[in-house]
Structure formats: C-alpha cells, structure tokens
C-alpha cells in the first residue's frame, strides 16, 4: 500500500516540479495526502473541527471500505491524523461496506451513525458507534442495527428543542426521531416525499424523478432547515433544499457544487467554525485518484444575505488559515498541511506517528507563529538505520535550512528517543517544512516535535 502511494507521490512530485515555475501557489486540498479519504462529516467541538471520513483502499475498483478515520484541525489548514477509531470489526454483525456516516456530540458522548451491510440479512443497515471523546475509540452502542431498510448515508441533527433526527437514504429519503439516548427512536420510520418541488427534477430516469440521490447533510441555520445532498447520479453534483421545519415541506434551492473533480460521487458536509462557513466534499484529485479512490477537500464560503448557498468550485488552494500554530508546545508530527511521500501508523507512545519516510520526503506545516525566533528544534524519533536526519526548513521543502537534527539508530521503529539541534532564521509567522534525508530505504519515524527559545 505504501509502495503504490509512494510511486504516485513521486510521479506527482516530478509533475509538480515541472509545473512549479508556472504555478508557484502551493496546494493544500485535498486535506489528506497519505491515504484516500471519502464522505466527509465535520463536527465542531471545543475549538477544533473533527473530520470523520471513510477510507478508500489503494487501488480500489469498488467502494471497498473497511474502516473510518478521524482527523482534526484548529486552523483549517493543518490536520492531525487520529487514525481509525472505528472499523467494520466494531460491529460484530456487519460484513462489509464502511460507508458514509456522521458523528454528533450529546451530553459528553459522541455518537457516530454509519451504514454497513448486515451479515444476517445482506442488506444495508445503520449502526451507531459511541465514544467518550471525539477521537474514540468507538464501540458498538447497540450490538445490532439501529434501523435497517437497505438504504444508506445517515445524517444526524439535534434541533434547538433537543429533539434529534436521523435522516438517510438512497434511493428514498427517510428519517426517525431519535430519543434522548441517541440510540433508539420513537414514532416509526418516516419517508420524506421526494417531490420535484422539494428536490428538483431529474430527466432521463423514470424511476428517479427528483435530483435527490444520496448523502443528505441536514442542519439548521437562522431558523431554516437545510438538506444538502448528492444529486443526480452519475456523475453527481451537490444540490440543496430548505424547509421551515425539520420534517419539511422541502423546497429545492439549486446547486451548491456542480459536477467536477474526477469522482462520479460527491458528498457534502457543512459547518461554521471561528466565524466562517466551510463546505467539505470529495473528489479524485490525488495521484491515482478517481471514483473509488477519493479525497476529502474543503472550501470556505459565505451564505448570501437571504440564506441561500452560493455555487462553489473545487480549488487546490483550500481555505486560508483561521489560526496560527504554536511551535513552542509539543505538536504531533502527524499534524500536517501537506505531506509528501510520508505515511502514518499507530504509535507505541499513543496516537499516531509519521512513518515510512524516504530520502527527500517532507511535511509542510502552515502558519507557524515563531514570533521573535526559535533557537532549538526537538523531535521524538525512531530509526533502524544510522545517518538519517530531519532538516528544518522554511520557504519550501528545499528552502532555507534552519537546522538539522541527526537521528540515530534507536534499534526499532517503535523504539523512541528525543533529539535536539540548534535552529536559526525562524521568526514571525511562516510555513515550516520538515524534510527527511539520508540513504536509501525507510529512514526514520517521527512522533512529535517542539521548538524552543533561549540559549
Ligand atoms: O463511500 C461509499 C458511498 O459512496 C457513500 O455511502 C455514498 O454517499 C457515496 O459517496
């Protein structure tokens, strides 16, 4: 898996170098570069965005998805890899298809609703994972499906009244009223009428007269309920409807994102964070990417004055940072704006670490607030070879060298030591590049890093 990705990454690096003179702006979409991600579901909690995604396997030729992943950011540009706190094995009754879900917090617990195939029936069902914090680990809340009717893509919304709703469906659209425990419901399974007034008109498919396809994302803003959804297969675009109540009647409002981006599916997720609105989606933008090897990306947007959503376009730049990153506190190495050639893995010291690093691979960390200047760089590292190093650079992966820390052979990929080296020239707020150098093969792992000031 790592080998395939590295091959394509190197092709991309070469292509990038060829394009660099013409297009110097650096891309920060898609959000994750070291694995394929799909079906974004963002959640704002305690000053961070937690992003729940699916994981398309490398080389997939179908929606071959075995686990879900969690990422988080405080600035919308650097994303921390929290690994996979929930997978098909979490649900003993599930056989396959870890597809599009959404997580929500209630009373200090995190509930993650996901569609999977129920082994006993062979049909798609909705399961619920529950955890005590947003990055899990999640456990099966029920030991059975919450609801099952062969349809997919749950979206959860807690209304101001405290009443929670779960919506889902393809080809139909359904909802239940969740009870306060978030793992049971009352009032039966309700079907939302798919009228052309509510969900637009599709031509050419008598079985599906409206644009609604799948992937509903339901939320409330300024007293208005929004249902943003994947429309008209295939290729899908993103459309939306609004309603005065959580159960309708829905009125079709138009296009949020036209068909584009090398994936025949798309999937919406919308949040407000630190004074801005953000639209998450997926496409096939990574090398080797396509309809079954997708990547999650994000755009900043502003609602129109009347509450309508403007039509958005996919970009490679992504949104600007809404915060700086503090280099003088410990930062996880897997907090990344753009990673080239690297992978991540579960660390023996907790969380994840950056791994499978070859000569010339690098990590970019954006908008790092060095202030008056850093004098030391410290990193928690491991290696099974001698003579590799972490180069601390700014201005680009081969930009000005601020310092270089040599990494010893620690005797194992999960045998950790802390190295420090002097750095200079890192002042103000700038992008940081950690470039890895040495011989051939895998060079080193990094678990975390931190800068210091003073002598
Ligand atoms: O990722 C698998 C499926 O593809 C999702 O459940 C759909 O929304 C589509 O994105």
């Amino acid at each position: 898996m790592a080998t395939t990705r590295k091959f394509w990454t190197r092709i991309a690096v070469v292509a990038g170098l060829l394009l660099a003179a013409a297009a110097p702006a650096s891309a920060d979409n898609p959000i994750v570069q070291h694995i394929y991600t799909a079906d974004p579901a963002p959640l704002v909690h305690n000053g961070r965005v937690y992003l729940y995604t699916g994981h398309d396997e490398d080389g997939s030729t179908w929606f071959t998805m075995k686990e879900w992943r969690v990422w988080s950011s405080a600035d919308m540009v650097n994303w921390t890899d929290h690994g996979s706190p929930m997978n098909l094995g979490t649900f003993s009754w599930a056989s396959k298809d870890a597809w599009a879900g959404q997580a929500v917090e209630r009373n200090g617990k995190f509930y993650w609703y996901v569609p999977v195939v129920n082994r006993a029936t062979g049909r798609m069902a909705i399961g619920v994972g529950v955890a005590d914090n947003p990055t899990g680990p999640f456990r099966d809340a029920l030991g059975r499906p919450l609801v099952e009717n062969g349809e997919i893509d749950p979206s959860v919304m807690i209304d101001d009244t405290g009443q929670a709703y779960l919506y889902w469906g393809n080809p139909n659209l359904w909802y239940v009223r969740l009870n306060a425990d978030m793992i049971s419901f009352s009032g039966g399974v309700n079907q939302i009428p798919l009228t052309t007034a509510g969900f637009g008109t599709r031509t050419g498919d008598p079985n599906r007269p409206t644009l609604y396809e799948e992937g509903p994302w339901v939320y409330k803003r300024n007293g208005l309920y929004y249902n943003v959804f994947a429309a008209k297969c295939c290729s899908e675009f993103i459309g939306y409807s609004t309603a005065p109540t959580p159960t309708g009647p829905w009125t079709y409002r138009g296009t949020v994102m036209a068909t584009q981006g090398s994936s025949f599916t798309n999937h919406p997720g919308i949040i407000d964070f630190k004074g801005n609105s953000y639209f998450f989606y997926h496409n096939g933008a990574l090398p080797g990417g396509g309809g079954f090897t997708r990547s999650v990306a994000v755009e900043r947007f502003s609602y129109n004055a009347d509450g309508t959503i403007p039509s958005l376009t996919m970009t490679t730049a992504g949104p600007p940072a809404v915060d700086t990153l503090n280099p003088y506190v410990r930062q996880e190495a897997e907090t990344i704006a753009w990673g080239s050639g690297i992978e991540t893995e579960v660390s023996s010291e907790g969380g994840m670490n950056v791994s499978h690093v070859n000569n010339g691979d690098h990590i970019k960390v954006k908008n790092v607030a060095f202030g008056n200047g850093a004098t030391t760089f410290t990193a928690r590292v491991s290696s099974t070879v001698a003579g590799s190093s972490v180069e601390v650079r700014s201005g680009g992966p081969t930009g000005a060298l601020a310092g270089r820390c040599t990494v010893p052979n620690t005797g194992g990929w999960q045998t950790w030591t802390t190295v420090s080296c002097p750095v200079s020239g890192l002042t103000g707020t700038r992008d940081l590049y950690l470039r890895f150098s040495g011989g051939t093969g895998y060079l080193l792992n990094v678990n975390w890093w931190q800068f210091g000031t003073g002598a």
Side-chain angles (χ1 to χ4, degrees):
M1 188 168 111
T3 311
T4 312
R5 179 60 47 86
K6 279 175 176 290
F7 169 77
W8 284 111
T9 304
R10 282 174 208 299
I11 296 287
V13 166
V14 171
L17 288 174
L18 293 174
L19 287 171
S26 57
D28 293 306
N29 266 333
I31 285 172
V32 177
Q33 303 82 40
H34 57 277
I35 64 166
Y36 295 114
T37 53
D39 302 326
L43 169 70
V44 176
H45 178 71
N46 276 353
R48 289 187 80 81
V49 178
Y50 290 88
L51 176 61
Y52 300 81
T53 72
H55 175 193
D56 285 342
E57 298 287 317
D58 282 12
S60 253
T61 52
W62 177 242
F63 299 111
T64 311
M65 304 170 80
K66 302 173 182 167
E67 63 176 18
W68 296 270
R69 305 280 297 216
V70 183
W71 320 84
S72 75
S73 177
D75 53 27
M76 294 303 294
V77 292
N78 298 301
W79 290 88
T80 304
D81 184 344
H82 296 287
S84 175
M86 193 166 87
N87 59 40
L88 287 175
T90 306
F91 302 98
S92 60
W93 48 272
S95 59
K96 61 177 183 173
D97 294 350
W99 286 7
Q102 188 183 347
V104 72
E105 185 268 343
R106 184 158 205 171
N107 298 329
K109 290 209 180 303
F110 295 81
Y111 299 90
W112 195 352
Y113 302 85
V114 287
V116 285
V117 171
N118 182 348
R119 183 183 297 106
T121 63
R123 296 199 307 170
M124 271 290 184
I126 310 296
V128 194
V130 63
D132 298 325
N133 68 70
T135 57
F138 286 80
R139 60 190 182 279
D140 186 356
L142 287 166
R144 57 178 167 77
L146 169 68
V147 61
E148 175 178 334
N149 66 357
E151 299 201 29
I152 60 173
D153 290 3
S155 174
V156 60
M157 193 243 340
I158 305 176
D159 205 351
D160 304 335
T161 59
Q163 176 65 59
Y165 296 83
L166 190 74
Y167 304 81
W168 77 100
N170 176 353
N172 303 294
L173 182 55
W174 310 86
Y175 73 90
V176 292
R177 288 184 171 84
L178 292 170
N179 295 329
D181 64 9
M182 299 298 278
I183 56 171
S184 62
F185 59 89
S186 299
V189 175
N190 306 285
Q191 187 165 8
I192 297 175
L194 288 177
T195 63
T196 53
F199 295 92
T201 303
R202 183 186 317 216
T203 52
D205 186 350
N207 295 321
R208 300 192 70 148
T210 79
L211 293 171
Y212 177 80
E213 180 72 20
E214 60 184 357
W217 181 267
V218 182
Y219 63 100
K220 185 181 190 181
R221 178 181 181 271
N222 292 345
L224 191 63
Y225 296 84
Y226 292 73
N227 183 347
V228 185
F229 54 88
K232 193 174 112 21
C233 188
C234 291
S235 295
E236 293 175 343
F237 71 93
I238 302 294
Y240 79 111
S241 306
T242 62
T245 78
T247 57
W250 295 97
T251 301
Y252 184 60
R253 297 292 178 196
T255 299
V256 175
M257 178 171 271
T259 300
Q260 58 199 283
S262 317
S263 161
F264 63 89
T265 66
N266 199 348
H267 194 97
I270 291 185
I271 51 162
D272 287 341
F273 180 63
K274 295 190 176 175
N276 297 294
S277 298
Y278 295 94
F279 177 74
F280 292 76
Y281 58 94
H282 68 221
N283 60 23
L286 274 189
F292 303 119
T293 43
R294 299 162 291 178
S295 291
V296 168
V298 61
E299 308 296 339
R300 190 177 72 171
F301 75 98
S302 299
Y303 289 88
N304 298 316
D306 62 359
T308 55
I309 303 175
S311 186
L312 304 171
T313 303
M314 299 179 182
T315 73
T316 54
V322 285
D323 218 334
T324 54
L325 185 135
N326 182 355
Y328 302 115
V329 299
R330 175 176 149 166
Q331 297 288 350
E332 295 302 317
E334 64 275 14
T335 297
I336 295 170
W338 192 266
S340 177
I342 62 104
E343 303 281 339
T344 64
E345 63 185 12
V346 173
S347 171
S348 62
E349 298 195 312
M352 306 289 283
N353 61 259
V354 167
S355 64
H356 299 91
V357 163
N358 290 103
N359 184 44
D361 292 346
H362 75 266
I363 290 167
K364 173 186 175 186
V365 186
K366 277 187 94 169
N367 222 37
V368 182
F370 286 104
N372 292 333
T375 55
T376 58
F377 174 73
T378 299
R380 186 74 169 161
V381 294
S382 67
S383 180
T384 63
V385 294
S388 52
S389 54
V390 180
E391 299 171 1
V392 182
R393 294 182 181 267
S394 65
T398 54
L401 183 67
R404 181 195 298 268
C405 272
T406 300
V407 174
N409 181 343
T410 61
W413 291 115
Q414 291 296 328
T415 304
W416 298 96
T417 192
T418 305
V419 294
S420 289
C421 51
V423 294
S424 60
L426 295 174
T427 55
T429 296
R430 59 176 71 208
D431 298 345
L432 166 71
Y433 293 81
L434 301 180
R435 183 175 183 274
F436 309 109
S437 60
T440 55
Y442 295 137
L443 301 181
L444 55 90
N445 289 346
V446 192
N447 191 16
W448 54 261
W449 55 262
Q450 181 170 352
F451 286 86
T453 57

